[in-house]
């Protein structure tokens, strides 16, 4: 027997219902906010993700990289943004000079230590609004995210917002942070020691208890914002008020990827016992990615949600899904010799667009009945000796439990009545 790859899992038909629920909610909210779907390849040439400026662990240490038979370096996408921007640039979509609003639902791959809510293959719902810098768009993305969470029925979730400022603010802040951290360097965790040179902002995000103690009194990005960045944040918050969004300012919030500037945000589950992987979604504005991938300087913003984490949150909040699966009828036969008769009926009903199925293994009446009820069949078509000999069937309504025995020629009319 072969096992699944570590950090992956199967979505079995018995679980697909909740995925459909989630996907339907995604399609509803993106339609409402006028985002169109984009589908980009599952792998890209490695430099799409491994750009000079991108030093985050997620991209440097956690990607699946491989050579294809032509010795090309490829990477499985660890996130959706870079691929979407590669496509935006390659298709010269900036030439329209318009705001390009797209969303995606896609598998992503990260070589991380698997645990609850963290996988090596996982799914994201993400969106990007590319092409202009306007605080109204930031507010719209945050509003959409909060409305999406509400539409799922989730209650114990908060929206956290921070600003890490423009390039200039971030440079100033980074310097102040490093100056603050240097006296503590020997006490920091190994990861943070390394990050002091590569990516000091990420130290604010450290899960190490001792790091957290040190960081508590570290300078905050918000105190180093340029006047423009401060005003921009104020503008976003002002629109959020107009949109009636509940949010919390979190001055320690920085994001795992390096491409962000200005406003960043996360959607966090506060559900009891949810576990460490409680960030359901995160995003922010990014100013340099389009130019790094060969396009003109273009501002963009986006967010992505981890779909497994959203489903986990739904489970913890005990949200029930409507059962969408059903059959119009299930054919039950008492003997193998009625198979031809059953097949003719099956064919006739399917030709008339009814959802019908039957037992292919000629199991016991009880087993067939169990299967029919399991599949939410609205009616049963029962074929026994008498029905077979008289060109009849017995049609039973599984809800009312009423049944009638009728000539086969009347079946379509009767079924139509029963299903009304
Ligand atoms: P991210 O924060 O790296 O951002 O990932 C977004 C979400 O994906 C996380 O909040 C989490 O819910 C989920 N996620 C990440 N890694 C895993 C994993 N190993 N297993 C399960 N779920 C996971 C991005 O990916 C950015 N591209 C978001 C963005 C879009 N920024 C701008 N536009």
């Amino acid at each position: 027997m072969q096992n699944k790859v570590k950090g992956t899992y199967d979505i079995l038909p018995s679980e697909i219902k909740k995925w459909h629920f989630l996907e339907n909610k995604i399609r509803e909210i993106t339609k409402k906010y006028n985002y169109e779907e984009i589908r980009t390849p599952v792998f890209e040439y490695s430099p799409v993700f491994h750009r000079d400026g991108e030093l985050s662990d997620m991209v440097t240490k956690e990607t699946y990289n491989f050579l294809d038979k032509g010795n090309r370096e490829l990477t499985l996408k660890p996130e959706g943004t870079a691929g979407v921007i590669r496509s935006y640039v390659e298709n010269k979509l900036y030439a329209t000079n318009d705001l390009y609003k797209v969303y995606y639902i896609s598998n992503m791959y990260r070589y991380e230590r698997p645990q609850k809510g963290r996988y090596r293959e996982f799914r994201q719902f993400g969106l990007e609004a590319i092409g202009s810098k306007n605080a109204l768009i930031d507010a719209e993305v945050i509003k959409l995210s909060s409305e999406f969470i509400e539409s799922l029925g989730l209650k114990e979730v908060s929206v956290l917002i921070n600003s890490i400022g423009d390039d200039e603010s971030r440079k100033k802040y980074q310097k102040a942070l490093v100056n603050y951290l240097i006296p503590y360097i020997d006490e920091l965790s190994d990861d943070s020691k390394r990050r002091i040179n590569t990516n000091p902002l990420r130290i604010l995000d450290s899960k190490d208890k001792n790091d957290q103690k040190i960081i508590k009194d570290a300078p905050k990005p918000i105190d180093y914002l340029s006047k423009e960045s401060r005003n921009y944040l104020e503008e976003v918050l002002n629109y959020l008020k107009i949109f009636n969004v509940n949010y919390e300012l979190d001055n320690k919030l920085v994001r795992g990827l390096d491409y962000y500037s200005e406003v960043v945000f996360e959607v966090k589950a506060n559900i009891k016992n949810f576990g460490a992987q409680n960030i359901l979604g995160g995003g922010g504005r990014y100013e340099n990615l389009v130019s790094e991938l060969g396009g003109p300087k273009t501002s963009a913003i986006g967010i992505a949600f981890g779909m497994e984490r959203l489903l986990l949150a739904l489970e913890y909040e005990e949200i029930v899904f409507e059962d969408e699966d059903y059959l119009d009828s299930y054919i039950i036969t008492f003997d193998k010799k009625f198979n031809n008769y059953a097949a003719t009926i099956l064919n006739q009903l399917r030709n008339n667009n009814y959802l019908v199925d039957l037992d292919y293994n000629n199991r016991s009446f009880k087993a067939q009945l169990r299967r029919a009820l399991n599949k939410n069949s609205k009616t049963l078509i029962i074929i026994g000796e008498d029905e077979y000999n008289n060109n009849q069937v017995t049609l039973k309504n599984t809800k009312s439990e009423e049944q009638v025995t009728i000539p086969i020629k009347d079946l379509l009319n009767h079924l139509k009545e029963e299903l009304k």
Side-chain angles (χ1 to χ4, degrees), residues 46-314:
S46 298
V48 170
F49 304 108
H50 295 273
R51 301 172 307 275
D52 289 344
E54 185 59 68
L55 296 168
S56 69
D57 282 358
M58 193 273 277
V59 167
T60 52
K61 297 207 304 206
E62 294 167 3
T63 44
Y64 282 87
N65 305 305
F66 58 98
L67 288 178
D68 72 3
K69 287 183 181 167
N71 263 339
R72 299 172 195 92
E73 287 179 20
L74 304 180
T75 298
L76 292 184
K77 59 178 163 184
E79 57 107 30
T81 312
V84 168
I85 298 300
R86 191 270 311 141
S87 155
Y88 177 80
V89 172
E90 190 168 0
N91 291 295
K92 294 194 174 55
L93 295 168
Y94 45 82
T96 61
N97 208 12
D98 199 3
L99 184 66
Y100 183 60
K101 301 209 291 189
V102 288
Y103 79 94
Y104 46 88
I105 296 174
S106 173
N107 290 12
M108 305 291 168
Y109 300 85
R110 295 187 190 179
Y111 194 80
E112 295 190 271
R113 196 167 45 79
Q115 62 182 88
K116 187 167 84 171
R118 190 159 78 189
Y119 305 91
R120 290 186 174 172
E121 181 188 64
F122 63 100
R123 286 137 191 92
Q124 275 189 352
F125 150 48
L127 51 89
E128 315 292 340
I130 313 158
S132 57
K133 186 172 180 181
N134 180 339
L136 181 58
I137 306 167
D138 299 52
E140 187 189 270
V141 170
I142 298 169
K143 167 75 179 176
L144 182 158
S145 305
S146 117
E147 192 176 325
F148 171 57
I149 290 294
E150 269 170 41
S151 78
L152 297 176
L154 293 174
K155 301 220 158 44
E156 293 164 67
V157 175
S158 24
V159 177
L160 310 175
I161 302 179
N162 194 19
S163 172
I164 53 171
D166 49 22
D167 291 351
E168 182 205 321
S169 320
R170 275 203 320 288
K171 259 190 216 133
K172 256 208 255 161
Y173 173 67
Q174 208 151 304
K175 217 165 156 190
L177 181 64
V178 172
N179 283 341
Y180 168 85
L181 288 171
I182 280 181
Y184 300 100
I185 194 151
D186 293 335
E187 296 166 48
L188 288 171
S189 65
D190 288 347
D191 271 345
S192 294
K193 270 189 198 124
R194 190 172 42 80
R195 285 176 175 150
I196 252 194
N197 295 319
T198 56
N199 196 351
L201 250 69
R202 284 286 282 152
I203 299 177
L204 295 189
D205 212 21
S206 169
K207 300 276 179 285
D208 181 271
K209 287 258 153 48
N210 199 44
D211 284 358
Q212 284 177 349
K213 258 191 233 153
I214 298 170
I215 297 156
K216 217 167 88 230
D217 298 319
K220 314 259 179 298
I222 202 135
D223 296 324
Y224 291 80
L225 294 185
S226 64
K227 202 161 154 249
E228 290 76 21
S229 290
R230 183 169 284 280
N231 287 345
Y232 193 79
L233 174 65
E234 287 305 323
E235 258 188 273
V236 174
L237 300 184
N238 173 53
Y239 282 123
L240 288 178
K241 208 187 258 165
I242 295 174
F243 288 162
N244 244 330
V245 177
N246 276 329
Y247 64 85
E248 291 166 33
L249 283 178
D250 176 353
N251 55 28
K252 281 220 299 290
L253 174 64
V254 288
R255 302 266 308 123
L257 292 145
D258 284 343
Y259 48 58
Y260 294 108
S261 55
E262 304 287 2
V263 177
V264 289
F265 32 84
E266 278 183 351
V267 176
K268 182 176 164 202
N270 308 312
I271 306 165
K272 213 170 143 219
N273 299 329
F274 191 73
Q277 303 306 318
N278 60 355
I279 305 300
L280 305 182
R285 185 160 280 286
Y286 47 97
E287 307 279 4
N288 302 321
L289 195 50
V290 180
S291 53
E292 276 174 27
L293 287 168
K297 186 127 183 73
T298 308
S299 190
I301 183 171
I303 187 167
F305 289 90
M307 293 171 75
E308 289 78 6
R309 293 190 197 174
L310 290 170
L311 290 179
L312 202 60
L314 291 173

